Amino acid sequence: MKLKNLVFLLSLMLFGCTVGQKSEPIRTGTYFDLVELLDEQIAKFEAEKPVLTKELNVSGETDRVTIQLDSAKQWKEELGLFYQADINKLGLETSYTTEELSTGVNTKKVIDSAKNERPAVRSIEYNYTDDQLVSIRIIIRDKNPIYKFEKELNLYFQNEQGKSILSSFTISGDQNMILKDELSYSLKATIGK
């Protein structure tokens, strides 16, 4: 009994400080740092307090709302799917190939593509004009015997004083589950003064 209590006390001392807290995943830095980019944008939004206008369409029904977010936590929740699409997580460092393509005069795209079907994030495409980031497109697919879903996430940037500033984002997708109707949805969000 004493040994059991000692083990419990020792584990409480070692892990007790993190109980109830969500730990950050280990990140590798192998690919473009989407999390760092989002954190920089959120820091700017937290200081400037822009409004966020969202238009959500679910299976043909549309709802529109304008809100002002007060904290970095609220912004992270709004951009949660983009954070989840981070491919710099431990274990994914060899899962993608990166290629750079010229798409015209002063424009290019960099694409991280999954090498196999295992990662849900199939590809991330970064579009640049004059070496300035103008958009990011993320394709996510996952399926198993019970469900199948596909999402497309987009971030759009404006050039402000030589910096790419997030101005809008979209999320769209389709979801199929056994014994349920197919669900189609799209979200358009604009960040403004």
Side-chain angles (χ1 to χ4, degrees), residues 122-167:
R122 305 304 306 141
S123 66
I124 304 181
E125 180 181 300
Y126 309 91
N127 295 287
Y128 296 86
T129 299
D130 296 323
D131 290 325
Q132 204 65 41
L133 185 63
V134 293
S135 68
I136 298 174
R137 179 178 179 245
I138 303 168
I139 301 295
I140 300 172
R141 281 191 207 113
D142 197 11
K143 69 178 181 175
N144 66 30
I146 298 170
Y147 71 86
K148 179 175 104 174
F149 73 80
E150 182 168 334
K151 297 178 198 165
E152 181 176 326
L153 316 176
N154 291 280
L155 296 166
Y156 300 98
F157 299 86
Q158 289 182 338
N159 184 341
E160 291 182 16
Q161 299 172 345
K163 291 190 174 190
S164 295
I165 306 299
L166 182 62
S167 59

mmCIF file of all heavy atoms in Angstrom, residues 122-167:
data_model
loop_
_atom_site.group_PDB
_atom_site.id
_atom_site.type_symbol
_atom_site.label_atom_id
_atom_site.label_comp_id
_atom_site.label_asym_id
_atom_site.label_seq_id
_atom_site.Cartn_x
_atom_site.Cartn_y
_atom_site.Cartn_z
ATOM 1 N N ARG A 122 -3.414 16.924 -47.388
ATOM 2 C CA ARG A 122 -2.910 16.395 -48.655
ATOM 3 C C ARG A 122 -1.911 17.333 -49.315
ATOM 4 O O ARG A 122 -0.934 16.890 -49.906
ATOM 5 C CB ARG A 122 -4.075 16.110 -49.618
ATOM 6 C CG ARG A 122 -5.155 15.203 -49.070
ATOM 7 C CD ARG A 122 -4.653 13.840 -48.577
ATOM 8 N NE ARG A 122 -3.891 13.177 -49.614
ATOM 9 C CZ ARG A 122 -2.785 12.472 -49.389
ATOM 10 N NH1 ARG A 122 -2.313 12.320 -48.182
ATOM 11 N NH2 ARG A 122 -2.153 11.906 -50.387
ATOM 12 N N SER A 123 -2.211 18.652 -49.243
ATOM 13 C CA SER A 123 -1.279 19.616 -49.837
ATOM 14 C C SER A 123 -1.500 21.002 -49.245
ATOM 15 O O SER A 123 -2.596 21.326 -48.783
ATOM 16 C CB SER A 123 -1.436 19.671 -51.367
ATOM 17 O OG SER A 123 -2.695 20.188 -51.713
ATOM 18 N N ILE A 124 -0.427 21.776 -49.262
ATOM 19 C CA ILE A 124 -0.490 23.197 -48.901
ATOM 20 C C ILE A 124 0.229 23.952 -50.011
ATOM 21 O O ILE A 124 1.365 23.632 -50.363
ATOM 22 C CB ILE A 124 0.159 23.498 -47.542
ATOM 23 C CG1 ILE A 124 -0.473 22.651 -46.435
ATOM 24 C CG2 ILE A 124 0.026 24.984 -47.220
ATOM 25 C CD1 ILE A 124 0.088 22.911 -45.048
ATOM 26 N N GLU A 125 -0.468 24.947 -50.555
ATOM 27 C CA GLU A 125 0.055 25.725 -51.681
ATOM 28 C C GLU A 125 0.199 27.187 -51.246
ATOM 29 O O GLU A 125 -0.762 27.797 -50.786
ATOM 30 C CB GLU A 125 -0.929 25.617 -52.831
ATOM 31 C CG GLU A 125 -0.569 26.349 -54.064
ATOM 32 C CD GLU A 125 -1.661 26.169 -55.113
ATOM 33 O OE1 GLU A 125 -1.933 25.017 -55.513
ATOM 34 O OE2 GLU A 125 -2.252 27.190 -55.504
ATOM 35 N N TYR A 126 1.401 27.725 -51.379
ATOM 36 C CA TYR A 126 1.697 29.109 -51.002
ATOM 37 C C TYR A 126 1.918 29.905 -52.285
ATOM 38 O O TYR A 126 2.799 29.564 -53.066
ATOM 39 C CB TYR A 126 2.960 29.169 -50.137
ATOM 40 C CG TYR A 126 2.926 28.210 -48.972
ATOM 41 C CD1 TYR A 126 3.448 26.919 -49.101
ATOM 42 C CD2 TYR A 126 2.350 28.569 -47.767
ATOM 43 C CE1 TYR A 126 3.410 26.021 -48.054
ATOM 44 C CE2 TYR A 126 2.308 27.681 -46.705
ATOM 45 C CZ TYR A 126 2.837 26.414 -46.853
ATOM 46 O OH TYR A 126 2.789 25.521 -45.810
ATOM 47 N N ASN A 127 1.124 30.945 -52.496
ATOM 48 C CA ASN A 127 1.221 31.753 -53.714
ATOM 49 C C ASN A 127 1.851 33.100 -53.402
ATOM 50 O O ASN A 127 1.445 33.779 -52.453
ATOM 51 C CB ASN A 127 -0.172 31.939 -54.319
ATOM 52 C CG ASN A 127 -0.749 30.615 -54.777
ATOM 53 O OD1 ASN A 127 -0.316 30.065 -55.777
ATOM 54 N ND2 ASN A 127 -1.702 30.087 -54.036
ATOM 55 N N TYR A 128 2.816 33.478 -54.240
ATOM 56 C CA TYR A 128 3.573 34.713 -54.035
ATOM 57 C C TYR A 128 3.508 35.592 -55.274
ATOM 58 O O TYR A 128 3.507 35.095 -56.401
ATOM 59 C CB TYR A 128 5.049 34.404 -53.770
ATOM 60 C CG TYR A 128 5.312 33.625 -52.505
ATOM 61 C CD1 TYR A 128 5.259 32.233 -52.489
ATOM 62 C CD2 TYR A 128 5.643 34.287 -51.322
ATOM 63 C CE1 TYR A 128 5.517 31.521 -51.331
ATOM 64 C CE2 TYR A 128 5.902 33.580 -50.159
ATOM 65 C CZ TYR A 128 5.840 32.203 -50.168
ATOM 66 O OH TYR A 128 6.092 31.494 -49.029
ATOM 67 N N THR A 129 3.485 36.893 -55.055
ATOM 68 C CA THR A 129 3.675 37.878 -56.110
ATOM 69 C C THR A 129 4.758 38.831 -55.633
ATOM 70 O O THR A 129 4.660 39.384 -54.527
ATOM 71 C CB THR A 129 2.377 38.662 -56.396
ATOM 72 O OG1 THR A 129 1.373 37.750 -56.827
ATOM 73 C CG2 THR A 129 2.593 39.720 -57.465
ATOM 74 N N ASP A 130 5.792 39.021 -56.439
ATOM 75 C CA ASP A 130 6.942 39.843 -56.050
ATOM 76 C C ASP A 130 7.474 39.418 -54.678
ATOM 77 O O ASP A 130 7.769 40.253 -53.816
ATOM 78 C CB ASP A 130 6.580 41.333 -56.042
ATOM 79 C CG ASP A 130 6.222 41.848 -57.418
ATOM 80 O OD1 ASP A 130 6.862 41.411 -58.403
ATOM 81 O OD2 ASP A 130 5.304 42.678 -57.524
ATOM 82 N N ASP A 131 7.594 38.109 -54.469
ATOM 83 C CA ASP A 131 8.074 37.511 -53.215
ATOM 84 C C ASP A 131 7.239 37.883 -51.994
ATOM 85 O O ASP A 131 7.685 37.762 -50.859
ATOM 86 C CB ASP A 131 9.547 37.873 -52.974
ATOM 87 C CG ASP A 131 10.457 37.169 -53.973
ATOM 88 O OD1 ASP A 131 10.157 36.023 -54.349
ATOM 89 O OD2 ASP A 131 11.468 37.775 -54.374
ATOM 90 N N GLN A 132 6.029 38.350 -52.232
ATOM 91 C CA GLN A 132 5.098 38.691 -51.155
ATOM 92 C C GLN A 132 3.989 37.634 -51.127
ATOM 93 O O GLN A 132 3.363 37.358 -52.148
ATOM 94 C CB GLN A 132 4.494 40.078 -51.438
ATOM 95 C CG GLN A 132 3.993 40.845 -50.279
ATOM 96 C CD GLN A 132 5.075 41.247 -49.305
ATOM 97 O OE1 GLN A 132 6.167 41.642 -49.688
ATOM 98 N NE2 GLN A 132 4.761 41.145 -48.044
ATOM 99 N N LEU A 133 3.747 37.025 -49.973
ATOM 100 C CA LEU A 133 2.721 36.000 -49.844
ATOM 101 C C LEU A 133 1.345 36.604 -50.093
ATOM 102 O O LEU A 133 0.970 37.590 -49.466
ATOM 103 C CB LEU A 133 2.778 35.397 -48.435
ATOM 104 C CG LEU A 133 1.847 34.231 -48.144
ATOM 105 C CD1 LEU A 133 2.181 33.025 -49.025
ATOM 106 C CD2 LEU A 133 1.944 33.841 -46.671
ATOM 107 N N VAL A 134 0.579 36.023 -51.037
ATOM 108 C CA VAL A 134 -0.754 36.549 -51.345
ATOM 109 C C VAL A 134 -1.872 35.577 -50.963
ATOM 110 O O VAL A 134 -2.997 36.007 -50.705
ATOM 111 C CB VAL A 134 -0.900 36.967 -52.832
ATOM 112 C CG1 VAL A 134 -0.023 38.165 -53.142
ATOM 113 C CG2 VAL A 134 -0.599 35.818 -53.772
ATOM 114 N N SER A 135 -1.573 34.266 -50.917
ATOM 115 C CA SER A 135 -2.606 33.314 -50.499
ATOM 116 C C SER A 135 -1.976 31.978 -50.125
ATOM 117 O O SER A 135 -0.877 31.644 -50.556
ATOM 118 C CB SER A 135 -3.662 33.114 -51.592
ATOM 119 O OG SER A 135 -3.108 32.454 -52.708
ATOM 120 N N ILE A 136 -2.735 31.244 -49.316
ATOM 121 C CA ILE A 136 -2.369 29.878 -48.936
ATOM 122 C C ILE A 136 -3.611 29.024 -49.134
ATOM 123 O O ILE A 136 -4.696 29.381 -48.694
ATOM 124 C CB ILE A 136 -1.897 29.792 -47.473
ATOM 125 C CG1 ILE A 136 -0.636 30.638 -47.253
ATOM 126 C CG2 ILE A 136 -1.643 28.335 -47.076
ATOM 127 C CD1 ILE A 136 -0.186 30.723 -45.805
ATOM 128 N N ARG A 137 -3.443 27.894 -49.806
ATOM 129 C CA ARG A 137 -4.550 26.957 -50.053
ATOM 130 C C ARG A 137 -4.183 25.607 -49.454
ATOM 131 O O ARG A 137 -3.115 25.060 -49.752
ATOM 132 C CB ARG A 137 -4.792 26.825 -51.552
ATOM 133 C CG ARG A 137 -5.889 25.859 -51.930
ATOM 134 C CD ARG A 137 -6.071 25.866 -53.450
ATOM 135 N NE ARG A 137 -7.095 24.952 -53.849
ATOM 136 C CZ ARG A 137 -6.890 23.864 -54.594
ATOM 137 N NH1 ARG A 137 -5.678 23.562 -55.014
ATOM 138 N NH2 ARG A 137 -7.891 23.088 -54.928
ATOM 139 N N ILE A 138 -5.070 25.069 -48.616
ATOM 140 C CA ILE A 138 -4.818 23.802 -47.925
ATOM 141 C C ILE A 138 -5.927 22.818 -48.291
ATOM 142 O O ILE A 138 -7.108 23.146 -48.193
ATOM 143 C CB ILE A 138 -4.792 24.012 -46.402
ATOM 144 C CG1 ILE A 138 -3.741 25.065 -46.021
ATOM 145 C CG2 ILE A 138 -4.537 22.692 -45.674
ATOM 146 C CD1 ILE A 138 -3.838 25.554 -44.591
ATOM 147 N N ILE A 139 -5.543 21.617 -48.711
ATOM 148 C CA ILE A 139 -6.499 20.559 -49.021
ATOM 149 C C ILE A 139 -6.343 19.461 -47.961
ATOM 150 O O ILE A 139 -5.239 18.964 -47.733
ATOM 151 C CB ILE A 139 -6.263 19.957 -50.425
ATOM 152 C CG1 ILE A 139 -6.366 21.029 -51.509
ATOM 153 C CG2 ILE A 139 -7.221 18.792 -50.679
ATOM 154 C CD1 ILE A 139 -7.732 21.632 -51.659
ATOM 155 N N ILE A 140 -7.468 19.104 -47.332
ATOM 156 C CA ILE A 140 -7.484 18.076 -46.294
ATOM 157 C C ILE A 140 -8.483 17.004 -46.717
ATOM 158 O O ILE A 140 -9.606 17.318 -47.101
ATOM 159 C CB ILE A 140 -7.896 18.676 -44.928
ATOM 160 C CG1 ILE A 140 -6.906 19.774 -44.526
ATOM 161 C CG2 ILE A 140 -7.982 17.587 -43.861
ATOM 162 C CD1 ILE A 140 -7.324 20.551 -43.295
ATOM 163 N N ARG A 141 -8.055 15.736 -46.653
ATOM 164 C CA ARG A 141 -8.939 14.615 -46.969
ATOM 165 C C ARG A 141 -8.709 13.511 -45.958
ATOM 166 O O ARG A 141 -7.572 13.225 -45.599
ATOM 167 C CB ARG A 141 -8.630 14.043 -48.354
ATOM 168 C CG ARG A 141 -9.178 14.828 -49.480
ATOM 169 C CD ARG A 141 -9.052 14.057 -50.797
ATOM 170 N NE ARG A 141 -8.976 15.019 -51.865
ATOM 171 C CZ ARG A 141 -7.926 15.240 -52.630
ATOM 172 N NH1 ARG A 141 -6.837 14.551 -52.481
ATOM 173 N NH2 ARG A 141 -7.950 16.147 -53.567
ATOM 174 N N ASP A 142 -9.778 12.896 -45.556
ATOM 175 C CA ASP A 142 -9.667 11.746 -44.657
ATOM 176 C C ASP A 142 -10.852 10.839 -44.894
ATOM 177 O O ASP A 142 -11.955 11.307 -45.180
ATOM 178 C CB ASP A 142 -9.623 12.201 -43.202
ATOM 179 C CG ASP A 142 -9.092 11.124 -42.269
ATOM 180 O OD1 ASP A 142 -8.562 10.108 -42.764
ATOM 181 O OD2 ASP A 142 -9.210 11.288 -41.048
ATOM 182 N N LYS A 143 -10.625 9.548 -44.797
ATOM 183 C CA LYS A 143 -11.741 8.613 -44.935
ATOM 184 C C LYS A 143 -11.420 7.332 -44.186
ATOM 185 O O LYS A 143 -10.263 6.963 -43.988
ATOM 186 C CB LYS A 143 -12.070 8.330 -46.390
ATOM 187 C CG LYS A 143 -11.054 7.529 -47.166
ATOM 188 C CD LYS A 143 -11.543 7.288 -48.587
ATOM 189 C CE LYS A 143 -10.536 6.455 -49.359
ATOM 190 N NZ LYS A 143 -11.017 6.113 -50.671
ATOM 191 N N ASN A 144 -12.483 6.711 -43.735
ATOM 192 C CA ASN A 144 -12.413 5.392 -43.123
ATOM 193 C C ASN A 144 -13.743 4.716 -43.438
ATOM 194 O O ASN A 144 -14.568 5.291 -44.150
ATOM 195 C CB ASN A 144 -12.094 5.485 -41.621
ATOM 196 C CG ASN A 144 -13.189 6.129 -40.806
ATOM 197 O OD1 ASN A 144 -14.375 6.052 -41.131
ATOM 198 N ND2 ASN A 144 -12.806 6.768 -39.720
ATOM 199 N N PRO A 145 -14.003 3.512 -42.946
ATOM 200 C CA PRO A 145 -15.257 2.842 -43.305
ATOM 201 C C PRO A 145 -16.521 3.577 -42.858
ATOM 202 O O PRO A 145 -17.593 3.363 -43.410
ATOM 203 C CB PRO A 145 -15.143 1.485 -42.597
ATOM 204 C CG PRO A 145 -13.675 1.247 -42.480
ATOM 205 C CD PRO A 145 -13.073 2.595 -42.262
ATOM 206 N N ILE A 146 -16.411 4.498 -41.890
ATOM 207 C CA ILE A 146 -17.591 5.181 -41.353
ATOM 208 C C ILE A 146 -17.824 6.539 -41.989
ATOM 209 O O ILE A 146 -18.949 6.951 -42.216
ATOM 210 C CB ILE A 146 -17.473 5.323 -39.820
ATOM 211 C CG1 ILE A 146 -17.416 3.937 -39.191
ATOM 212 C CG2 ILE A 146 -18.617 6.135 -39.240
ATOM 213 C CD1 ILE A 146 -17.074 3.919 -37.738
ATOM 214 N N TYR A 147 -16.769 7.265 -42.289
ATOM 215 C CA TYR A 147 -16.950 8.619 -42.817
ATOM 216 C C TYR A 147 -15.899 8.952 -43.869
ATOM 217 O O TYR A 147 -14.865 8.295 -43.976
ATOM 218 C CB TYR A 147 -16.894 9.660 -41.695
ATOM 219 C CG TYR A 147 -15.518 9.846 -41.105
ATOM 220 C CD1 TYR A 147 -14.598 10.737 -41.667
ATOM 221 C CD2 TYR A 147 -15.119 9.130 -39.992
ATOM 222 C CE1 TYR A 147 -13.338 10.895 -41.136
ATOM 223 C CE2 TYR A 147 -13.859 9.286 -39.452
ATOM 224 C CZ TYR A 147 -12.971 10.177 -40.030
ATOM 225 O OH TYR A 147 -11.709 10.321 -39.510
ATOM 226 N N LYS A 148 -16.195 10.001 -44.620
ATOM 227 C CA LYS A 148 -15.270 10.548 -45.604
ATOM 228 C C LYS A 148 -15.477 12.048 -45.617
ATOM 229 O O LYS A 148 -16.617 12.522 -45.652
ATOM 230 C CB LYS A 148 -15.572 9.961 -46.984
ATOM 231 C CG LYS A 148 -14.663 10.485 -48.081
ATOM 232 C CD LYS A 148 -14.937 9.774 -49.383
ATOM 233 C CE LYS A 148 -15.723 10.674 -50.288
ATOM 234 N NZ LYS A 148 -15.944 10.178 -51.618
ATOM 235 N N PHE A 149 -14.394 12.817 -45.532
ATOM 236 C CA PHE A 149 -14.553 14.252 -45.635
ATOM 237 C C PHE A 149 -13.417 14.870 -46.438
ATOM 238 O O PHE A 149 -12.335 14.316 -46.533
ATOM 239 C CB PHE A 149 -14.682 14.920 -44.255
ATOM 240 C CG PHE A 149 -13.413 14.980 -43.449
ATOM 241 C CD1 PHE A 149 -12.450 15.953 -43.686
ATOM 242 C CD2 PHE A 149 -13.191 14.086 -42.429
ATOM 243 C CE1 PHE A 149 -11.297 16.015 -42.933
ATOM 244 C CE2 PHE A 149 -12.039 14.137 -41.661
ATOM 245 C CZ PHE A 149 -11.085 15.107 -41.920
ATOM 246 N N GLU A 150 -13.733 16.010 -47.017
ATOM 247 C CA GLU A 150 -12.751 16.797 -47.749
ATOM 248 C C GLU A 150 -12.990 18.257 -47.420
ATOM 249 O O GLU A 150 -14.129 18.717 -47.398
ATOM 250 C CB GLU A 150 -12.876 16.565 -49.252
ATOM 251 C CG GLU A 150 -11.832 17.324 -50.039
ATOM 252 C CD GLU A 150 -11.755 16.899 -51.498
ATOM 253 O OE1 GLU A 150 -12.116 15.762 -51.824
ATOM 254 O OE2 GLU A 150 -11.323 17.749 -52.301
ATOM 255 N N LYS A 151 -11.909 18.974 -47.124
ATOM 256 C CA LYS A 151 -11.989 20.399 -46.806
ATOM 257 C C LYS A 151 -10.982 21.160 -47.642
ATOM 258 O O LYS A 151 -9.903 20.649 -47.944
ATOM 259 C CB LYS A 151 -11.637 20.665 -45.338
ATOM 260 C CG LYS A 151 -12.549 20.056 -44.330
ATOM 261 C CD LYS A 151 -12.035 20.370 -42.936
ATOM 262 C CE LYS A 151 -12.657 19.441 -41.938
ATOM 263 N NZ LYS A 151 -11.993 19.435 -40.665
ATOM 264 N N GLU A 152 -11.354 22.361 -47.997
ATOM 265 C CA GLU A 152 -10.410 23.294 -48.610
ATOM 266 C C GLU A 152 -10.382 24.547 -47.749
ATOM 267 O O GLU A 152 -11.418 25.158 -47.498
ATOM 268 C CB GLU A 152 -10.814 23.650 -50.043
ATOM 269 C CG GLU A 152 -9.830 24.604 -50.681
ATOM 270 C CD GLU A 152 -10.134 24.911 -52.129
ATOM 271 O OE1 GLU A 152 -10.629 24.016 -52.847
ATOM 272 O OE2 GLU A 152 -9.881 26.064 -52.543
ATOM 273 N N LEU A 153 -9.194 24.901 -47.287
ATOM 274 C CA LEU A 153 -8.997 26.089 -46.463
ATOM 275 C C LEU A 153 -8.155 27.083 -47.249
ATOM 276 O O LEU A 153 -7.168 26.692 -47.881
ATOM 277 C CB LEU A 153 -8.251 25.736 -45.166
ATOM 278 C CG LEU A 153 -8.680 24.481 -44.403
ATOM 279 C CD1 LEU A 153 -7.754 24.249 -43.212
ATOM 280 C CD2 LEU A 153 -10.101 24.605 -43.930
ATOM 281 N N ASN A 154 -8.537 28.342 -47.226
ATOM 282 C CA ASN A 154 -7.785 29.383 -47.931
ATOM 283 C C ASN A 154 -7.560 30.574 -47.028
ATOM 284 O O ASN A 154 -8.481 31.010 -46.326
ATOM 285 C CB ASN A 154 -8.542 29.856 -49.174
ATOM 286 C CG ASN A 154 -8.594 28.795 -50.251
ATOM 287 O OD1 ASN A 154 -7.645 28.602 -50.980
ATOM 288 N ND2 ASN A 154 -9.710 28.098 -50.336
ATOM 289 N N LEU A 155 -6.347 31.114 -47.069
ATOM 290 C CA LEU A 155 -6.008 32.375 -46.410
ATOM 291 C C LEU A 155 -5.618 33.364 -47.500
ATOM 292 O O LEU A 155 -4.860 33.015 -48.408
ATOM 293 C CB LEU A 155 -4.818 32.186 -45.458
ATOM 294 C CG LEU A 155 -5.006 31.249 -44.265
ATOM 295 C CD1 LEU A 155 -3.657 30.914 -43.635
ATOM 296 C CD2 LEU A 155 -5.929 31.876 -43.243
ATOM 297 N N TYR A 156 -6.131 34.593 -47.415
ATOM 298 C CA TYR A 156 -5.825 35.623 -48.406
ATOM 299 C C TYR A 156 -5.178 36.817 -47.704
ATOM 300 O O TYR A 156 -5.641 37.245 -46.640
ATOM 301 C CB TYR A 156 -7.104 36.069 -49.131
ATOM 302 C CG TYR A 156 -7.781 34.930 -49.850
ATOM 303 C CD1 TYR A 156 -8.861 34.264 -49.271
ATOM 304 C CD2 TYR A 156 -7.323 34.495 -51.087
ATOM 305 C CE1 TYR A 156 -9.479 33.202 -49.917
ATOM 306 C CE2 TYR A 156 -7.935 33.437 -51.740
ATOM 307 C CZ TYR A 156 -9.010 32.794 -51.153
ATOM 308 O OH TYR A 156 -9.616 31.737 -51.791
ATOM 309 N N PHE A 157 -4.126 37.357 -48.336
ATOM 310 C CA PHE A 157 -3.342 38.417 -47.720
ATOM 311 C C PHE A 157 -3.310 39.661 -48.602
ATOM 312 O O PHE A 157 -3.381 39.561 -49.827
ATOM 313 C CB PHE A 157 -1.897 37.941 -47.494
ATOM 314 C CG PHE A 157 -1.800 36.753 -46.581
ATOM 315 C CD1 PHE A 157 -1.933 35.465 -47.089
ATOM 316 C CD2 PHE A 157 -1.594 36.911 -45.230
ATOM 317 C CE1 PHE A 157 -1.854 34.356 -46.257
ATOM 318 C CE2 PHE A 157 -1.519 35.807 -44.381
ATOM 319 C CZ PHE A 157 -1.644 34.536 -44.901
ATOM 320 N N GLN A 158 -3.203 40.819 -47.955
ATOM 321 C CA GLN A 158 -2.976 42.082 -48.648
ATOM 322 C C GLN A 158 -1.592 42.582 -48.273
ATOM 323 O O GLN A 158 -1.128 42.364 -47.144
ATOM 324 C CB GLN A 158 -4.008 43.131 -48.240
ATOM 325 C CG GLN A 158 -5.384 42.855 -48.764
ATOM 326 C CD GLN A 158 -6.371 43.950 -48.384
ATOM 327 O OE1 GLN A 158 -6.164 44.701 -47.433
ATOM 328 N NE2 GLN A 158 -7.455 44.029 -49.118
ATOM 329 N N ASN A 159 -0.956 43.274 -49.210
ATOM 330 C CA ASN A 159 0.351 43.845 -48.945
ATOM 331 C C ASN A 159 0.164 45.201 -48.263
ATOM 332 O O ASN A 159 -0.434 46.108 -48.842
ATOM 333 C CB ASN A 159 1.119 43.992 -50.261
ATOM 334 C CG ASN A 159 2.527 44.485 -50.064
ATOM 335 O OD1 ASN A 159 2.880 45.052 -49.030
ATOM 336 N ND2 ASN A 159 3.352 44.268 -51.070
ATOM 337 N N GLU A 160 0.643 45.319 -47.030
ATOM 338 C CA GLU A 160 0.604 46.586 -46.303
ATOM 339 C C GLU A 160 2.011 46.925 -45.863
ATOM 340 O O GLU A 160 2.579 46.247 -45.015
ATOM 341 C CB GLU A 160 -0.322 46.497 -45.079
ATOM 342 C CG GLU A 160 -1.785 46.381 -45.441
ATOM 343 C CD GLU A 160 -2.680 46.350 -44.212
ATOM 344 O OE1 GLU A 160 -2.227 46.723 -43.108
ATOM 345 O OE2 GLU A 160 -3.842 45.936 -44.366
ATOM 346 N N GLN A 161 2.579 47.945 -46.472
ATOM 347 C CA GLN A 161 3.926 48.420 -46.157
ATOM 348 C C GLN A 161 4.956 47.290 -46.218
ATOM 349 O O GLN A 161 5.774 47.122 -45.330
ATOM 350 C CB GLN A 161 3.949 49.102 -44.783
ATOM 351 C CG GLN A 161 3.031 50.303 -44.736
ATOM 352 C CD GLN A 161 2.885 50.870 -43.337
ATOM 353 O OE1 GLN A 161 3.240 50.237 -42.346
ATOM 354 N NE2 GLN A 161 2.362 52.082 -43.266
ATOM 355 N N GLY A 162 4.865 46.492 -47.269
ATOM 356 C CA GLY A 162 5.835 45.426 -47.493
ATOM 357 C C GLY A 162 5.586 44.161 -46.697
ATOM 358 O O GLY A 162 6.405 43.243 -46.725
ATOM 359 N N LYS A 163 4.458 44.086 -45.981
ATOM 360 C CA LYS A 163 4.151 42.898 -45.201
ATOM 361 C C LYS A 163 2.843 42.285 -45.669
ATOM 362 O O LYS A 163 1.918 42.994 -46.057
ATOM 363 C CB LYS A 163 4.046 43.237 -43.714
ATOM 364 C CG LYS A 163 5.358 43.621 -43.093
ATOM 365 C CD LYS A 163 5.227 43.698 -41.599
ATOM 366 C CE LYS A 163 6.599 43.942 -40.994
ATOM 367 N NZ LYS A 163 6.592 43.790 -39.557
ATOM 368 N N SER A 164 2.774 40.965 -45.615
ATOM 369 C CA SER A 164 1.540 40.255 -45.966
ATOM 370 C C SER A 164 0.643 40.215 -44.737
ATOM 371 O O SER A 164 1.010 39.635 -43.715
ATOM 372 C CB SER A 164 1.859 38.830 -46.421
ATOM 373 O OG SER A 164 2.610 38.850 -47.610
ATOM 374 N N ILE A 165 -0.534 40.843 -44.844
ATOM 375 C CA ILE A 165 -1.479 40.921 -43.738
ATOM 376 C C ILE A 165 -2.743 40.156 -44.113
ATOM 377 O O ILE A 165 -3.336 40.386 -45.170
ATOM 378 C CB ILE A 165 -1.830 42.385 -43.395
ATOM 379 C CG1 ILE A 165 -0.559 43.204 -43.128
ATOM 380 C CG2 ILE A 165 -2.789 42.446 -42.212
ATOM 381 C CD1 ILE A 165 0.288 42.717 -41.972
ATOM 382 N N LEU A 166 -3.166 39.244 -43.237
ATOM 383 C CA LEU A 166 -4.354 38.439 -43.488
ATOM 384 C C LEU A 166 -5.580 39.342 -43.609
ATOM 385 O O LEU A 166 -5.872 40.129 -42.714
ATOM 386 C CB LEU A 166 -4.546 37.431 -42.348
ATOM 387 C CG LEU A 166 -5.715 36.471 -42.472
ATOM 388 C CD1 LEU A 166 -5.571 35.590 -43.707
ATOM 389 C CD2 LEU A 166 -5.822 35.610 -41.212
ATOM 390 N N SER A 167 -6.291 39.227 -44.733
ATOM 391 C CA SER A 167 -7.472 40.071 -44.962
ATOM 392 C C SER A 167 -8.762 39.260 -45.010
ATOM 393 O O SER A 167 -9.839 39.797 -44.748
ATOM 394 C CB SER A 167 -7.313 40.860 -46.261
ATOM 395 O OG SER A 167 -7.139 39.979 -47.356
#
